[in-house]
Structure formats: structure tokens, C-alpha cells
Amino acid sequence: LQRLLIVGAGGGAAALGAWVNDPTALGSSSPGLNFLRSALVAPHFTCSEEAVALRDLLQAYPGFVGLGIPDGTALALGPRGQVETWGKGEVTAVVHT
């Protein structure tokens, strides 16, 4: 039995999603590694204003969830559907409504 754990920290976490938000170009994104097939990951997430921007960006990705992950925090996903938050912060999940 083999197991694999992949951890992305900071900006590296963004690459694990299907799409990567480009913070330098509002409303722009690039393909990610697609480990999280229906997610756009936003690292360095700090405030509710970013949640609004992430929700707006999701207009281009129907059915996707945006995951805002603050510094010092990780979202750990296990092979059997396990989900844990590691670190001091809380992960914010947003959807476009």
C-alpha cells in the first residue's frame, strides 16, 4: 500500500487547483495542476474584500468553489475524502451565486 501527500504552501498552494488566480491582473487566471478539479485556490487570503473578488472571478468557472487560504494555514485533503484545516487560520470557501 502506497500513499502520497502533496503539500502546497503560500503561492505553491494555488497551483494545486484547476485554475490559479493571477493577483497581478484582476479577473485573470491560468491553468493549475488540477489536483483539486473544481477549485480555484487563492493563497495569502486575508479579508472579506478578497472573498468578493474571488466570488466574482468564479463567474468564469460554473460549479467551481474558491478556496481562500490565509498565511500560516493549510487545507489537508485525504485520499478517502478527509478534510482538515492545519495551522492558525481558517479556510474560506466561496461559490458564485
Side-chain angles (χ1 to χ4, degrees):
L1 179 65
Q2 295 181 350
R3 297 172 199 248
L4 174 66
L5 174 64
I6 297 174
V7 177
L16 298 178
W19 292 93
V20 178
N21 181 30
D22 182 353
T24 63
L26 186 60
S28 179
S29 57
S30 302
L33 296 173
N34 207 22
F35 284 101
L36 301 172
R37 296 177 191 255
S38 295
L40 194 148
V41 180
H44 312 296
F45 194 83
T46 59
C47 61
S48 59
E49 289 84 17
E50 289 182 54
V52 172
L54 185 54
R55 185 175 292 116
D56 290 344
L57 183 60
L58 288 173
Q59 290 180 42
Y61 306 100
F64 274 48
V65 63
L67 298 174
I69 304 177
D71 289 339
T73 304
L75 183 62
L77 307 171
R80 294 184 184 88
Q82 307 97 318
V83 179
E84 294 181 18
T85 301
W86 295 352
K88 60 183 178 178
E90 293 185 16
V91 174
T92 300
V94 300
V95 294
H96 175 70
T97 54

